[in-house]
Amino acid sequence: MAGLDPDDWDTLRTQAHRMLDAMIDNIRAVPAGPVWQPMPPALRQGFDTAPLPEHGRDLAELHARFVQAVQPYSVGNRHPRFMGWVHGGGTVQGMLADMLAAGLNANLGGRNHAPVDVERMVIRWAAAMFGFPATTTGLLVTGSSMANFIAILTASRAVADGAALRQGGVGGRRLVGYAASTAHGCVARAFDMAGLGTQALRRVPTGPDHRMDMAALRRMLAEDRATGAEPFMVIGTAGTVDTGSVDPLDELADLAEAEKLWFHVDGAFGALARLSPEHAPLVRGMERADSLAFDFHKWAQVPYDAGCVLVRDPGAQAAAFAQTLDYLAREDRGLAAHAPWFCDLGPDLSRGFRALKVWFALEGFGTQRLGEVVARSCAVARHLAARVSHTPCLELLAPVTLNIVCFRLVVDGQDLDRLNAELVKDLHESGIAAPSTTRIGGQLAIRAAMVNHRTTEQDADIMLDALLDLAQARLGFALQTRSSAPVA
């Protein structure tokens, strides 16, 4: 055998069709199955102890092993009652696009080929979606963690004499940035990875609405400058991971302009609210940002992974990342033409063809239909919040801004943190629904995030009814679950 291509292409084709048909059938049947189920110890042990294969195995055998040991025990985010964390549900169209991209096996670090033009088109569309200028640069990455890192490093290199930081590091300069205490943990990690240190990220208090306190931000800026620190950026969040709240982006844009700070927005999922006419006003001001991080694999339902970073200044990313290397010389024609290359805009030289599945989502569904997914998710969240508010034994712990509902069961004489944590695990193991947990004001909250395009009000009702049934079974007595007040 000279290579790894099959000896019998017809046999492979037949098996490939079986695998594709089986996966389409599986996605179609997802709502009828459990959201999640624990992997049996024996199956897990099989992976833990499997020896390194020395000889190959038939594709049909590998597929059978996948169907038996992997497919039933995935995380469950395709299911309409997966409400934990913020995971998109994916689409069949996206799966097929990924198949085509894998078939091409293109490296999008650069060079002169059509997949690069597809990604440039997608970046241009993304800039238009969020009100950025046509000269905006950007690239597709694994997710908002990497997108935020690229934006923060770009911002730190855009300060006065920032180019020197690439050679000598930060040195004695005390560059500091600001984000609300509710900002995602990846922001502090990005400060760490950028060499600024996590202490260089100042955590700004929030108000009762879980939005950044602008008066506190102004005080912190003045105090830092008075001690010789060098404020260089402020980060607003469009859709916090805990509650879905949105920082005052327009005010942040005004402050950043007045204070000569780089204005970055972490819009991991909330940025897509701009596609819904009903919810777009909540993220007004985002279009004024110097950079934006967001994920297509959340509300846009593109299969994992598909994050994106946009940078307003067309030269800022290249100033932070571009290298001149003999083995990556750009030419005026041939395969080494078509500069600038994406490897000049971020840390990755080897990059997959993520742009194809994003293209298929944007052009296949259109921004109007994706905006309807956003609006529908938020409507389901409002329905759930109304039920919580009108159920005597439940307590809403935060305002519902977008698509996240934080609540808890309240029972006299119980350790409420422990009770609610155990109920979430009970729900997971029941297979009925999968919310997650967080802490709001020090109290453990059950957190239901509506992100999946398949989720309806009925799914929210099923989740809540199952939670109440499990609570009564665990406590051994009936709860007051009925109210005379109407549910919206």
Side-chain angles (χ1 to χ4, degrees):
M1 187 177 191
L4 299 178
D5 286 333
D7 294 325
D8 184 345
W9 284 94
D10 290 335
T11 298
L12 177 105
R13 185 190 305 275
T14 299
Q15 178 59 29
H17 280 291
R18 289 196 192 105
M19 293 165 69
L20 180 60
D21 288 342
M23 200 69 229
I24 291 173
D25 289 343
N26 177 261
I27 295 173
R28 184 178 183 180
V30 155
V35 179
W36 175 84
Q37 55 187 340
M39 189 175 183
L43 281 180
R44 178 161 283 149
Q45 181 71 9
F47 286 112
D48 290 342
T49 60
L52 177 67
E54 186 174 345
H55 302 288
R57 180 173 288 192
D58 184 75
L59 180 60
E61 293 181 61
L62 293 175
H63 179 239
R65 178 73 169 142
F66 165 81
V67 170
Q68 178 236 356
V70 177
Q71 184 174 285
Y73 309 108
S74 61
V75 71
N77 55 301
R78 299 178 303 164
H79 199 288
R81 290 192 298 279
F82 182 94
M83 300 169 185
W85 305 277
V86 183
H87 292 188
T91 65
V92 176
Q93 294 91 326
M95 177 191 75
L96 295 172
D98 250 353
M99 179 188 71
L100 297 177
L104 283 183
N105 194 31
N107 181 347
L108 273 78
R111 301 178 182 85
N112 185 9
H113 55 120
V116 167
D117 292 280
V118 173
E119 183 159 348
R120 288 177 176 172
M121 175 181 69
V122 164
I123 294 300
R124 180 170 54 81
W125 285 353
M129 279 168 50
F130 297 114
F132 276 56
T135 53
T136 294
T137 62
L139 72 168
L140 298 176
V141 292
T142 53
S144 283
S145 293
M146 179 57 72
N148 281 313
F149 169 65
I150 290 171
I152 288 165
L153 193 61
T154 301
S156 74
R157 298 306 193 244
V159 299
D161 300 319
L165 302 181
R166 295 190 66 178
Q167 299 295 323
V170 176
R173 295 179 70 170
R174 292 174 53 204
L175 294 172
V176 294
Y178 304 84
S181 59
T182 51
H184 195 280
C186 72
V187 174
R189 182 180 292 176
F191 270 70
D192 177 19
M193 294 190 300
L196 302 168
T198 56
Q199 294 303 310
L201 177 64
R202 307 294 201 243
R203 306 306 291 261
V204 184
T206 58
D209 56 1
H210 302 275
R211 305 169 83 216
M212 187 188 291
D213 183 332
M214 294 299 295
L217 172 60
R218 290 186 176 92
R219 285 195 302 272
M220 294 169 71
L221 270 165
E223 290 167 0
D224 282 334
R225 284 204 167 104
T227 63
E230 189 179 346
F232 77 102
M233 79 180 305
V234 61
I235 300 165
T237 301
T240 59
V241 69
D242 281 328
T243 67
S245 60
V246 179
D247 285 332
L249 303 179
D250 245 342
E251 291 183 66
L252 285 171
D254 289 340
L255 180 141
E257 184 177 353
E259 297 282 349
K260 295 181 171 52
L261 303 175
W262 183 285
F263 176 35
H264 173 65
V265 173
D266 176 9
F269 70 93
L272 272 295
R274 186 178 166 94
L275 299 184
S276 164
E278 178 185 356
H279 300 93
L282 292 170
V283 293
R284 184 177 293 123
M286 182 175 62
E287 71 282 355
R288 299 171 61 190
D290 293 294
S291 54
L292 171 65
F294 69 98
D295 290 324
F296 283 110
H297 56 229
K298 292 187 170 78
W299 253 340
Q301 311 299 322
V302 173
Y304 279 88
D305 52 31
C308 186
V309 61
L310 299 177
V311 177
R312 179 179 298 273
D313 180 348
Q317 270 183 282
F321 290 100
Q323 294 177 298
T324 301
L325 301 167
D326 290 342
Y327 54 85
L328 292 177
R330 277 62 156 177
E331 303 293 347
D332 60 346
R333 59 190 180 87
L335 189 54
H338 211 30
W341 292 358
F342 284 120
C343 62
D344 290 332
L345 305 181
D348 293 326
L349 177 57
S350 297
R351 304 178 62 252
F353 192 10
R354 297 184 181 98
L356 188 65
K357 58 190 174 184
V358 178
W359 171 26
F360 276 33
L362 292 178
E363 191 156 3
F365 299 117
T367 56
Q368 180 177 337
R369 192 169 174 191
L370 294 177
E372 290 168 358
V373 170
V374 170
R376 189 80 185 122
S377 299
C378 295
V380 174
R382 289 195 300 271
H383 171 83
L384 176 60
R387 277 210 57 190
V388 168
S389 297
H390 293 98
T391 302
C393 62
L394 298 175
E395 178 184 15
L396 198 63
L397 292 178
V400 177
T401 303
L402 287 169
N403 61 326
I404 296 176
V405 184
C406 293
F407 66 100
R408 66 174 180 166
L409 183 76
V410 180
V411 181
D412 290 340
Q414 298 290 320
D415 179 340
L416 296 184
D417 280 5
R418 182 178 182 279
L419 174 61
N420 283 278
E422 292 301 315
L423 285 172
V424 167
K425 289 183 278 188
D426 290 345
L427 259 182
H428 291 177
E429 292 181 346
S430 75
I432 296 171
S436 59
T437 62
T438 189
R439 286 194 174 272
I440 306 294
Q443 299 173 324
L444 187 133
I446 299 171
R447 176 182 169 282
M450 310 303 173
V451 188
N452 193 322
H453 61 99
R454 303 178 179 100
T455 304
T456 66
E457 286 87 349
Q458 183 181 17
D459 292 304
D461 288 339
I462 291 170
M463 183 275 292
L464 199 61
D465 291 342
L467 176 76
L468 293 170
D469 288 345
L470 289 165
Q472 291 182 136
R474 175 173 281 276
L475 293 167
F477 55 82
L479 295 168
Q480 186 182 356
T481 60
R482 301 294 178 194
S483 170
S484 57
V487 176

